[in-house]
Amino acid sequence: MIEIVMGIAITVVITFIGIMLRYRRCPADQILVVYGRVGLSSDGETRSAKCIHGGGVFVWPIIQHYEYMELTPMSIEVNLTNALSKQNIRVDVPSRFTVGISTEMGVMQNAAERLLGLSHQDINELAKDILFGQLRLVIATMDIEEINSDRDKFLDNVSKNVEQELSKIGLKLINVNVTDIKDESGYIEALGKEAAAKAINDAKKSVAEKNRDGAIGEANALRDERVSVASADADAVTGENLSKVLVSQSDAERRQREAEALKLAIASEKVQQAKALREAYTAERDAEIGRAEKEKATKEADVIVNAEIEKQKAIIAAQAEAEKIRERAQGEADAIFLKMEAEAKGTLEKLMKQAEGYAQIVKAANNDADKASQLMITDKLELLVQAQVEAIKNIKIDKVTVWDSMSGDKPATANFLSGMMKSLPPLNDVFASAGLKLPDLVDVNKQEVEIKVEE
């Protein structure tokens, strides 16, 4: 069952791919020609080919095939010579035709039947033969005058005959251009000369007639000018006299009106001057009042603004000073706290180290406190003796007078210095007052102090 389904699926896929591969689209500049079994035409006849311009079509395999035909226009040069006109005058008609395959349904079918498979060169030669024949036929039905003067009629006849014949093989005439027409006998040239001479004579005649009409018109104009001038002079004198009267009357009226206007102007000027002075005084008064108010407002604004500025300055300065004092107090407090904290830490560290040292000393004395204290005193004995000596070291005696009778074993001076040394308390007494006892090894009272006295 699975194999059947897979086979059906594969068949469908292959069929779909085949359909896609056999579908052909027609570009805009080409004609798609499908030939083979293409069905019947609209009138029921069997068609040899089906032409499509634009779009696409499915081409059945085996029973149908397809080809393309180019719609590119072809320019064909037709240099017709010795063509016989209606008047039996041979003429040369060089021309150029532009043709292409037609896209009309019937004409396109003719192109498929007669031009399919041909190259552009073959189509060009085929069309050129038709153009030559039709151009000769048109020239044979027209006079030289019609061919030369009525060029539109000539081109229209050529287009009708040529396009009718070209459509039979599927072509369409796009454009025809006749460059020049000549004949062997010079008839066209003679016609040109005749037309030129006639034009020149007509121009000369027209010039003479215009000159004549100009002279007659000039004489009539001079006559009319003289009559008009005389009449104008008479009318001018009459008009001049009337004008003088009118001028006099106008001058009188002008002077009267000028006097009245002057009187009114002087009165109006006085009135306007009075009004101007009054308005000026009023404006000056208003200006003075405004100036006084402005100065008052300015002074008040200066005083108030300065006072407000000083007030703000004082407030800001007081706030800054208070903030500075608070910052300084806070800094000093923080410094004192840090100092005391550091001293406490140092003292604590010192005591802890001393405790550790004392513990080591007691441990070295086999946990005997008395021996430990003796060890500590022995360690500090030198410092104690040095302290006693320092007590009298710096005593300054400028002058000592000793009366020595030289009696006894020692001089009086030696007894004086020895007595000064004995004035210091013995170490035994010092340690005894503290509840301690020196070891027997150390007995200061038994030591002898030698004093050298220098005279």
Side-chain angles (χ1 to χ4, degrees):
M1 185 66 181
I2 296 175
E3 294 177 352
I4 295 173
V5 172
M6 291 181 63
I8 294 172
I10 293 171
T11 303
V12 171
V13 171
I14 293 173
T15 303
F16 180 75
I17 294 173
I19 293 173
M20 294 299 295
L21 292 176
R22 297 300 296 180
Y23 186 80
R24 292 292 177 265
R25 291 178 295 274
C26 180
D29 61 339
Q30 293 179 350
I31 295 175
L32 176 61
V33 180
V34 180
Y35 54 90
R37 295 182 61 85
V38 294
L40 302 177
S41 62
S42 59
D43 54 3
E45 296 181 357
T46 302
R47 291 187 298 177
S48 60
K50 180 170 64 174
C51 299
I52 298 171
H53 177 232
V57 68
F58 177 76
V59 180
W60 290 97
I62 302 173
I63 63 175
Q64 289 181 349
H65 197 55
Y66 67 93
E67 287 188 22
Y68 291 98
M69 297 178 65
E70 299 288 339
L71 296 177
T72 305
M74 295 173 289
S75 180
I76 302 173
E77 185 177 2
V78 178
N79 294 322
L80 181 61
T81 59
N82 296 324
L84 193 63
S85 67
K86 187 177 181 180
Q87 298 165 314
N88 294 323
I89 298 175
R90 296 191 178 275
V91 295
D92 298 337
V93 185
S95 56
R96 181 173 289 275
F97 292 81
T98 303
V99 299
I101 297 176
S102 178
T103 57
E104 297 180 9
M105 291 305 299
V107 182
M108 189 166 51
Q109 187 71 25
N110 293 337
E113 293 176 355
R114 293 177 173 85
L115 302 179
L116 185 64
L118 296 181
S119 64
H120 271 268
Q121 184 65 29
D122 295 336
I123 298 173
N124 193 313
E125 294 296 331
L126 181 60
K128 183 182 291 188
D129 294 337
I130 296 174
L131 293 174
F132 268 110
Q134 294 303 313
L135 189 57
R136 287 181 183 276
L137 180 61
V138 171
I139 292 173
T141 59
M142 296 182 68
D143 296 333
I144 296 296
E145 290 81 356
E146 291 179 329
I147 298 173
N148 186 52
S149 60
D150 197 354
R151 191 65 62 89
D152 292 335
K153 181 180 178 181
F154 172 65
L155 294 178
D156 185 58
N157 292 335
V158 172
S159 299
K160 289 180 180 179
N161 288 277
V162 169
E163 189 165 6
Q164 184 178 0
E165 294 300 319
L166 289 177
S167 63
K168 295 179 181 179
I169 62 172
L171 296 177
K172 179 182 179 180
L173 179 64
I174 299 174
N175 182 41
V176 56
N177 183 24
V178 178
T179 56
D180 194 8
I181 299 176
K182 297 180 182 180
D183 65 302
E184 295 179 351
S185 59
Y187 182 69
I188 296 176
E189 184 178 359
L191 290 176
K193 291 181 179 180
E194 180 183 0
K198 182 178 179 182
I200 294 172
N201 292 330
D202 291 341
K204 289 180 179 180
K205 180 180 178 181
S206 178
V207 171
E209 290 176 352
K210 296 299 181 183
N211 290 333
R212 180 197 64 192
D213 295 339
I216 295 172
E218 184 179 2
N220 292 331
L222 291 174
R223 182 195 64 192
D224 294 339
E225 181 182 1
R226 291 179 64 187
V227 172
S228 298
V229 169
S231 178
D233 289 339
D235 293 339
V237 173
T238 302
E240 185 177 356
N241 293 330
L242 292 175
S243 297
K244 289 180 180 179
V245 175
L246 294 174
V247 168
S248 300
Q249 293 176 356
S250 178
D251 288 339
E253 292 178 0
R254 179 179 58 80
R255 288 195 295 269
Q256 182 182 358
R257 291 180 181 180
E258 285 181 352
E260 293 176 356
L262 181 60
K263 179 177 68 175
L264 293 175
I266 293 172
S268 178
E269 185 179 358
K270 295 296 184 182
V271 172
Q272 294 299 326
Q273 288 179 355
K275 288 183 179 180
L277 289 174
R278 182 176 61 193
E279 292 177 357
Y281 294 152
T282 303
E284 289 180 358
R285 181 191 63 190
D286 294 340
E288 290 296 328
I289 293 172
R291 186 176 59 80
E293 292 178 354
K294 179 182 178 182
E295 290 181 356
K296 178 181 177 182
T298 301
K299 291 181 179 179
E300 290 178 355
D302 293 340
V303 173
I304 293 173
V305 171
N306 291 332
E308 186 66 25
I309 292 173
E310 293 298 330
K311 176 182 175 182
Q312 293 296 329
K313 286 183 178 179
I315 292 172
I316 293 172
Q319 291 176 352
E321 187 63 26
E323 185 65 25
K324 186 187 296 183
I325 292 172
R326 283 195 296 270
E327 294 291 337
R328 187 184 301 114
Q330 183 67 33
E332 291 177 355
D334 292 341
I336 293 172
F337 176 77
L338 293 174
K339 180 180 179 182
M340 294 179 66
E341 185 179 8
E343 290 178 353
K345 289 182 178 179
T347 303
L348 178 62
E349 186 68 22
K350 181 178 179 181
L351 293 175
M352 290 179 66
K353 295 298 182 181
Q354 286 181 352
E356 291 178 359
Y358 293 156
Q360 293 293 331
I361 292 173
V362 172
K363 184 179 180 180
N366 294 323
N367 295 323
D368 189 346
D370 292 337
K371 292 182 179 180
S373 62
Q374 290 178 3
L375 288 174
M376 293 174 64
I377 291 171
T378 303
D379 183 63
K380 301 296 183 180
L381 182 61
E382 182 180 356
L383 297 176
L384 293 174
V385 174
Q386 184 177 0
Q388 279 191 322
V389 174
E390 290 292 332
I392 61 171
K393 177 180 179 181
N394 294 323
I395 296 177
K396 293 182 180 180
I397 302 173
D398 294 336
K399 185 177 181 181
V400 177
T401 303
V402 180
W403 297 93
D404 192 357
S405 59
M406 298 302 292
S407 62
D409 296 333
K410 292 182 180 180
T413 302
N415 291 331
F416 169 74
L417 296 176
S418 176
M420 183 179 294
M421 291 296 297
K422 291 179 180 180
S423 64
L424 296 176
L427 289 178
N428 287 330
D429 296 338
V430 173
F431 279 88
S433 63
L436 299 174
K437 181 181 180 182
L438 288 173
D440 295 337
L441 179 63
V442 182
D443 190 355
V444 178
N445 294 331
K446 296 180 180 181
Q447 295 179 357
E448 294 181 356
V449 179
E450 296 181 356
I451 300 173
K452 183 184 289 184
V453 178
E454 294 181 2
E455 296 180 357

